[in-house]
Amino acid sequence: MSTQTTFVTPATRLQAYSSTADLAISPPSGRDASTRARSAVASKDLRSEPGPIRFIIIALAISFLTIFVVLPLLVVFASAFSKGITAYFAALAEPEALSAIRLTLLVAAISVGLNLVFGVIAAWAIAKFEFPGKTFLITLIDLPFSVSPVISGLVFVLLFGAQGYWGTWLQAHNVQILFAVPGIALATIFVTFPFVARSLIPLMQEQGTQEEEAAISLGASGLQTFFRVTLPNIKWGLLYGVLLCNARAMGEFGAVSVVSGHIRGETNTMPLLVEILYNEYQFVASFAIASLLAMLALITLVVKTVLEQRLDEGQTPRDELRDEP
Amino acid sequence: MSTAVARRSSLPGFGLTMGLTLTWLSVIILIPLAGLFLKTLDLSLVQFWEILTSRRTLNALKISFGLSFAAACVNLVMGTIIVWALVRYRFPGRRLFDAIVDIPFALPTAVAGVALTQLFAQKGWLGAPLAELGIKVAFTPIGIFIAMVFIGIPFVVRTVQPVLIDLDPEIEEAAASLGANRWHTVFRVIMPSLIPALLTGFALAFARAVGEYGSVIFIAGNLPNVSEIAPLLIVIRLSEFRYADATAIAVVMLLAAFVIIFAVNRLQRWAQTRAPAH
């Protein structure tokens, strides 16, 4: 499945927003302003449903979102604090919790770092050049989005597990990949692979190559051009990709669960610890860790909204330029 | 704009960046996935078929695909209603609810799993009143269905929303001024132009639900043949060191996922050819 729809990329969102903005602010072209004003008034009546139906639709939407999204979120915090604040912080200060937090941060740093570098490189190759098979390459980059998290873990077990292709060799040379940090990091890199590249490609395609070509023709080197010209243009899109990549890296459960081995205090990330504590009926401790992850999700959403606005603003002048004949 | 981009390019670094991209892609994605398909070659066709048609595997696949389909249907209907409310109406908290739609994307699946279980457990906020009505949700297939609905909400909303926003108001006005009543305008004029986006959202929600693991396994009960989803069966087979069984199930699910990607790509091409030139 393509990312354009899996999560709304800045560019697609931009297109949606900027075109509505055009509708609202662009001067009436080829039409008398008063006609337009009249049709705007008329359209209010023509383009809306009767009051009761409107009420029912809004009520349905709000109740559905409340039951399925708001309540689960509230349950996390209510359960985490159900025995008081002291119990909450005591649960977070457990050595097991601290080691899970450390491991999650480490794995996220590794996988976000590598995907950041390779995502930018892939976006440069794909967005700035024409070559046959480009669509196919993008489909390959998107693959992890359509692979079940469990399968994303399974493929690494098949490679590195005791009965896997390279299992015997690894054992003979005493290299630990599965049930250790390298395996967890690999599975995480796999599931977060598309985020950075996919949030950059539409943006960089839209920006074209003229500014870079100008820089090169003025004697800048390739790296100088990238850091001084391209990077400032894509910084918000890049942050957007890193943000989503990081959220998924810290929260990944299925893939990591398959490769981690669940060694207590060693290979449990935060989501895995949530599972273990929950299955041991340590609800306060489980939801305390879960509440940290929920806060990460909420912060991610807020920053994402801010970044989308930034991207939107950055886009407007370009749209205006484009609209000129 | 794409015509301007197409004229290129004296920029450096194509060989280097393309080489690194292909290498990284191969190491992380292609070789591991190829390993999965290669592993199935260890099995004879008969063995492969026996694994897939064993009662437990068949039931797990039936549960995963069947409940995912049902959940995607609910997402299709409720997603359309939510998009309509968010795009067409103004009500207090609209922006907040718009943001809330993304939470199932952002919330780690394990967190969603324990939260939904707690909510629908016998003593939970929603589980208790439902239990009084005689409805048991947690640890039954209904629980699986609920978790799949949760995880699929953003897909329909976020694919249909931009299309509805972009819809030319004049088409509706024309329909109405030509005497169509509102019902006709909505179902004969607006809905048809939303169909590609609706189907795309449906397919994405379905695909996500089929592969979903974290948010489902806590609430599912995980009873073999009754409430055991296919991804869980893969994990169980792995823990029993029955790699061949795990691989066979995984390959079937992966092929199903590829069929869905292909369908979604076709849908999007269809949508593009249908879209009026701006």
Side-chain angles (χ1 to χ4, degrees), chain A residues 22-24 26-29 31-41, chain B residues 170:
Chain A
D22 284 350
L23 273 180
S26 67
S29 51
R31 260 211 293 176
D32 180 8
S34 64
T35 334
R36 194 178 171 87
R38 238 178 304 150
S39 81
V41 173
Chain B
E170 286 180 16

Side-chain angles (χ1 to χ4, degrees), chain A residues 49-79:
Chain A
E49 290 73 37
I53 292 183
R54 217 160 39 203
F55 177 80
I56 291 171
I57 290 178
I58 293 175
L60 275 174
I62 289 182
S63 4
F64 184 82
L65 286 175
T66 305
I67 290 175
F68 277 94
V69 185
V70 178
L71 284 182
L73 199 62
L74 288 181
V75 160
V76 173
F77 292 99
S79 309

